[in-house]
Amino acid sequence: MFVSDCLNINPIGHLTIGDRDTVELAQTFGTPLYVMDENQIRNSCRSYHQSIEKYYGGKGLVAYASKAFCCKAMCKIVAEEGLGLDVVSGGELYTAMSVHFPAEKIFFHGNNKTVAELTEALEYGVGCIVVDNLTELEVLNQLAISMGKKADIMFRIKPGIDAHTHDFVRTGQIDSKFGLALETGEAMEAVKLALTLSHIRLIGLHCHIGSQIFDIEPFEHAAEVMLHFMAEIKKKTGTELKKLNLGGGFGIKYIPKNDPVEYDRYMKNVSLVVKKTCKELNLNTPFVVIEPGRSIAGPAGITLYKVGAIKDIPGIRTYVSVDGGMADNPRYALYKSEYEAIIANKAGQPKDMTVTIAGKCCESGDLIGEGMQIQNAAPGDTLAVLATGAYNYSMSSNYNRIPKPAVVLVNGKEARVIIQRETFEDIVRNDVE
Ligand SMILES: Cc1ncc(COP(=O)(O)O)c(C=O)c1O
């Protein structure tokens, strides 16, 4: 009925997440409030883990892309489920380290890692640094020499795939700030250089073709392109790379018309292409890594708000204002991302109102969505925006000096705070008079 399995309606007509009434959660923990369902997160981790095991026979790893939602509790859950972790900054790595995330299962990404971040990654002994460019390669080699370490790396490659997604999240094509291009010879040049560097061990290749993708074909095509490049590397250098990281990007259901592919079907189809292509190219099947972020965290989360002013502009639109907005969910302002919203205390009622949901920031573009269907709203209602578990908390800001909301993790009937609500003291903590 809803975009996520963890959501339901209880006998008094309130929206539930896990076994908790969302209206009660809003009263207990305040609004705005992010709520995540632990079982939904764990089930997604398990589905991915089981299907990678099934189709790659133990030669695969699912690394959760922590940019989607990162905190200590999330890193712990992911580690307990046996997944690896994709981090893209010193802050994400620090969070993982603070819960002793197994270092060998960490992939360190980023198109402009700082020396401090690379040093931290080498000190912690992360399993793989995904090198984006030649400058980074040289810096990393020098650092590794000075620290007496050898860095295991992959190169981020642009496979040149247009994954039919939003421009701002499409990253596989040549005009991208991420990675090395195949067409220009830049990628081969980097490979050849890496193979000569004393403190670098090139273990594989990586690509990530975009986000919120619903088709399997772009992933299959990317795998083929990457394997052809591996074959070319073998031919030109004699080195056969052992690992292939195909990135993340699997689409989720934000609104009813979204139709995501089942993980298992994705894994099956892509694994068939990988095996067939390896056979054709006379390569051993590499160890395959995938990096889902949104599809693990997104469906598990909702955001609860309190409805405030309602402004009806006759013949134009009705604004329903909530006590949050672009500071806790900038995705509509950034990408016009669509969401489903529900009046949590009237969840069983029909959606009779078409509204624009506005936030409280001093910005006309501070909207959660336009043309949204919701139940008849009144000031004081609890509004739930669904599937906000990914790229909401992690992209939130303190614009207008608004403290970030708390994150509550629900497991059945239990609910516990995993990130505390920021206070005004937190807001001024680093100010110097
Ligand atoms: C390198 C890399 N891996 C994985 C992901 C996760 O993508 P998604 O959350 O769409 O699965 C991203 C997202 O930007 C990424 O850049």
Side-chain angles (χ1 to χ4, degrees), residues 48 63-68 86-88 109-110 130 156 169 171 178 206-213 219 245-252 290-297 390-391:
Y48 271 123
Y64 166 65
S66 68
K67 68 209 74 176
D86 145 0
V87 300
V88 74
H109 289 275
V130 182
R156 175 150 183 174
V169 287
T171 52
F178 296 105
H206 169 273
C207 68
H208 171 77
I209 57 169
S211 227
Q212 188 59 359
I213 300 168
F219 292 111
N245 184 332
L246 294 170
F250 318 110
I252 67 164
I290 60 162
E291 298 173 329
R294 184 190 313 276
S295 49
I296 289 179
Y391 304 109

